[in-house]
Amino acid sequence: MGTRKLATAALVAALAIVAAGVWRPAFGDTAKATSAQAAAAPAWTGTWGVSPQSSGTTFNQQTIRQIVRTSIGGTAARIRLSNAFGNQAVTVANVHIARRTSGSSVDAGSDRAVTFGGAAQTTIPVGGSVTSDQVAFTVDALSDVAVSFYLPSSTGNATVHDFGNQTNYVAAGNVAGNATLSSPQTRGNYFFLTNLDVQNTASEGAVVALGASITDGVGSGGDANRRWPNDLAVRLSQAGRTIGVLNQGISGNRLLADGAGQSAANRFDRDVLSQSGVKWVVFADDPINDLGNSAGSITGDQLIAATRQLISRAHAAGVKFLCATLTPFQGAGYWTQAGENGRQAFNAFVRGAGSGCDGVVDMDTATHDPARPTWFQASLETGDHLHPNEAGLQAIANAVDLSLFGTSTPPATRVVTFRAHANGKLVTAENAGAAALIANRTAVGPWEQFDLADLGGGRVSLRAHANNKYVSAANAGANPLIASATAVGSWETFDLIHNPDGSVSLRATVNGRYVCAENAGAASLIANRTAIGSWESFDLL
C-alpha cells in the first residue's frame, strides 16, 4: 500500500471515530482538537426521523428491516438507535444500510455495513441511544432507504414508533445482509431506529414537524409517503432548497399530558432540540388532543402558556419556532363547545402580535369549510371530521410559506461549454434536453451551454440552457446523462476534477464513476468509468 493510500485510510478511520462521538485528543488543547474535528467533514443534517414511544413488543434472534423515506440527499450517512423506553440493555448486531428496491428487497450493490466505534455490534443502555459511525453511503433525496439489523438476544420491551404507516419487515435469524428476506413478517411501525442523518455541503439545516396524528400521517395511504411533512419535503426540493424535514408526530399526543407518548412539553428537548442540524420547528396539532380529551377542563390560556414556554426553549437553543393554527374538529367524537372556544383562543394567539412565534402556518384557514369555519372542508377530510385526507395533508403542506425558512444563497455559477477530447466535439443537451447528452456539435448554441454551479468542496451541478433542467446521472448512474431534474440531489452532483493537462473530468457522486464520452464520442455521455483517459477528459470553454 502506497503512502497516499495509507494517509487516506488513516483519515477515514479518524473520521469514523469522530462520527461515533468517541474522539478524545491524546494531548494538547481540547478546543483545537474540537475545531479540527468540525473542519474534517460537513455538519450532519437529519433527513428522516420518528419519535420513540414505549411498547410491550419483544424480539429475539430476529432481523428487522425498516424502510425510511428521505427528505434530502447526502454523500455520507449515519443512523441513531434508541432504547429510550426499554427495560433492559439491547444488543444490536450486523447492521446494514442500502437502497430499497421493492418490498423487503434492497440493491445489493449499494449495501454497506454500519459500525459503532468501529465495532460490528453495539449495546444500547436502558434509556439511552447510540449513533453509528459515518457510513460511505450516497443517500438520494426523496428516496427509500432500508436499515437492517439483527437482534441476537431477547430485547425486553422494544422502543417503538407506534404508527409508522410504512410496511417494515421482521425475519428469523441473522439475515440483515441478505438482499431479500425470505417470508418475512410485516409490521406497520418502527423499532429502535429513530434517525437517519446525512452530510451534504449544500444543507441549509432541518425543520422538525412536532405534532400528533395529523402530523404522523393518519389519513394518508400506507407506504404512500403522503404525510404533510413528506409533501413539504417535496415542495422544498422542487424549490431547489436543501432542508431536511423530520416528522416528530405521535398519534394521540398532547401538549400538556403524557399518554400516547410523552407530552410535547416533556419530549421537546429529545425530539426537537437534539435533532441533527435543526434550525426550525413547526408546532402543529398536539393541542387539539388536549382540548378533545379534557372534557372542557383545558383552556386556551393553558395551551398558550405552555406554548410560550416551548418558544422560549427553542429560542434559547437558537431554533426558530413556527406556530401552526389548529385545524377544525367540530363533528369529531370528542368535540365540545368548550374545546372549540379553546381552539379559537389558541388560534387568535398564534395569529396575534406579541406571540413570540417566528412565523405562522395557518393550517386552519387551509382546511376549514368557508361556509362553516368550525368544520373541515368535506373534500379535505377522511370523514371523521378530525383528520385530513391526502388532499387535506397537501393543503397543509402548501400553507407553509417557504420564505419562513429564509432565502438560500444561490451557488456561484458560470456559463460553460464542454469539448470532448474523445472526438474534439462539443457536448450538447440533445433534442432541447429531451435526449441524453452527447458530444456531436461543432458550434456553440443554447443546447451546448450549461450553468455550472459551485456547490463547495469541489462539487458542482450543471443546468442545461436547452431546457433549464439539471443534468442527472440517471438511475444512480446506470443510464446516460440527461438534463431532466428540477432540483439538485445526489444524481445531479458531480466532482469537478482538474487534470494535469488543463482539461477537466466529471465524477458522479452517486456512483463514484467518471463521465465518459462513450464509444469515442459516438454514444451518449455516461458515468461508468473507474479511471480518466481521453474519453473521460473535456476542455471547459
Side-chain angles (χ1 to χ4, degrees):
M1 182 182 290
T3 303
R4 182 177 177 184
K5 289 184 178 179
L6 284 168
T8 301
L11 176 59
V12 171
L15 286 175
I17 292 170
V18 169
V22 295
W23 172 268
R24 296 291 185 273
F27 12 63
D29 190 315
T30 301
K32 289 181 181 178
T34 303
S35 176
Q37 176 182 343
W44 291 99
T45 303
T47 186
W48 172 89
V50 290
S51 295
Q53 301 169 255
S54 61
S55 80
T57 305
T58 346
F59 296 93
N60 189 11
Q61 298 181 3
Q62 292 168 291
T63 291
I64 306 179
R65 175 164 292 168
Q66 302 179 89
I67 311 303
V68 307
R69 185 69 171 181
T70 66
S71 51
I72 62 171
T75 56
R78 71 179 185 185
I79 65 169
R80 188 184 305 170
L81 304 173
S82 173
N83 192 23
F85 298 98
N87 57 358
Q88 65 182 58
V90 174
T91 297
V92 180
N94 195 23
V95 185
H96 287 256
I97 186 170
R99 295 188 190 93
R100 196 268 282 263
T101 52
S102 63
S104 71
S105 299
V106 302
D107 173 10
S110 71
D111 186 273
R112 300 290 184 271
V114 180
T115 58
F116 297 81
Q121 72 176 43
T122 186
T123 298
I124 319 171
V126 175
S129 65
V130 294
T131 301
S132 77
D133 301 332
Q134 173 181 312
V135 186
F137 176 79
T138 299
V139 177
D140 296 325
L142 307 177
S143 69
D144 288 344
V145 171
V147 177
S148 310
F149 50 80
Y150 176 58
L151 299 164
S153 56
S154 178
T155 62
N157 292 340
T159 292
V160 66
H161 179 75
D162 241 358
F163 180 76
N165 213 16
Q166 168 67 54
T167 303
N168 292 315
Y169 305 91
V170 179
N174 187 358
V175 292
N178 290 16
T180 299
L181 303 181
S182 178
S183 302
Q185 302 173 12
T186 59
R187 302 293 176 89
N189 33 26
Y190 289 97
F191 299 97
F192 302 109
L193 179 67
T194 59
N195 294 88
L196 174 64
D197 298 337
V198 296
Q199 288 182 337
N200 187 324
T201 56
S203 171
E204 301 172 57
V207 53
V208 173
L210 179 66
S213 55
I214 292 174
T215 298
D216 210 10
V218 171
S220 64
D223 299 327
N225 297 307
R226 289 301 312 276
R227 313 161 190 89
W228 74 256
N230 294 115
D231 294 337
L232 176 60
V234 172
R235 287 190 62 217
L236 286 164
S237 179
Q238 290 174 341
R241 306 295 297 271
T242 309
I243 296 175
V245 182
L246 304 176
N247 189 334
Q248 299 295 305
I250 296 179
S251 294
N253 199 233
R254 303 188 207 180
L255 168 59
L256 300 176
D258 292 347
Q262 293 173 309
S263 70
N266 287 337
R267 64 189 181 97
F268 192 72
D269 286 357
R270 182 193 64 223
D271 291 354
V272 177
L273 302 184
S274 295
Q275 299 297 322
S276 297
V278 59
K279 289 189 177 178
W280 307 271
V281 56
V282 178
F283 181 50
D285 49 313
D286 271 18
I288 297 174
N289 287 325
D290 290 278
L291 294 169
N293 286 295
S294 66
S297 63
I298 298 295
T299 66
D301 286 345
Q302 289 172 287
L303 297 175
I304 291 166
T307 302
R308 286 189 186 276
Q309 290 179 5
L310 294 187
I311 293 170
S312 296
R313 289 162 66 183
H315 288 171
V319 173
K320 290 190 175 181
F321 196 98
L322 308 177
C323 299
T325 54
L326 302 179
T327 52
F329 69 111
Q330 186 167 354
Y334 63 10
W335 183 90
T336 63
Q337 186 58 53
E340 179 61 33
N341 294 343
R343 186 181 79 93
Q344 297 288 351
F346 185 84
N347 286 355
F349 156 73
V350 168
R351 294 182 176 120
S355 66
C357 303
D358 295 298
V360 175
V361 180
D362 200 344
M363 297 183 179
D364 171 36
T365 298
T367 58
H368 73 228
D369 184 340
R372 299 188 302 167
T374 60
W375 293 74
F376 244 103
Q377 186 172 321
S379 62
L380 299 180
E381 59 132 321
T382 60
D384 66 0
H385 310 300
L386 176 64
H387 295 105
N389 56 23
E390 289 185 0
L393 292 166
Q394 184 69 64
I396 286 173
N398 291 346
V400 182
D401 184 346
L402 300 190
S403 69
L404 292 172
F405 307 118
T407 56
S408 60
T409 303
T413 61
R414 55 183 169 135
V415 178
V416 300
T417 296
F418 293 91
R419 183 170 57 209
H421 280 205
N423 60 5
K425 293 189 177 179
L426 307 176
V427 173
T428 184
E430 191 68 278
N431 192 19
L437 272 62
I438 188 169
N440 68 0
R441 291 298 199 275
T442 57
V444 177
W447 293 8
E448 293 73 47
Q449 292 181 316
F450 302 85
D451 291 330
L452 185 147
D454 182 357
L455 303 180
R459 299 226 157 135
V460 299
S461 64
L462 298 168
R463 184 167 58 191
H465 283 203
N467 60 3
N468 286 320
K469 292 186 176 180
Y470 292 97
V471 173
S472 178
N475 194 18
N479 294 350
L481 268 62
I482 187 167
S484 61
T486 57
V488 176
S490 59
W491 293 10
E492 294 75 43
T493 305
F494 301 86
D495 294 317
L496 183 65
I497 312 297
H498 293 274
N499 301 320
D501 64 356
S503 67
V504 299
S505 297
L506 293 169
R507 182 172 56 208
T509 62
V510 70
N511 63 3
R513 301 292 179 95
Y514 295 99
V515 172
C516 174
E518 191 66 278
N519 194 16
S524 301
L525 271 63
I526 187 169
N528 66 357
R529 290 300 198 272
T530 58
I532 297 173
S534 62
W535 291 10
E536 295 76 41
S537 300
F538 302 84
D539 292 324
L540 196 58
L541 307 179

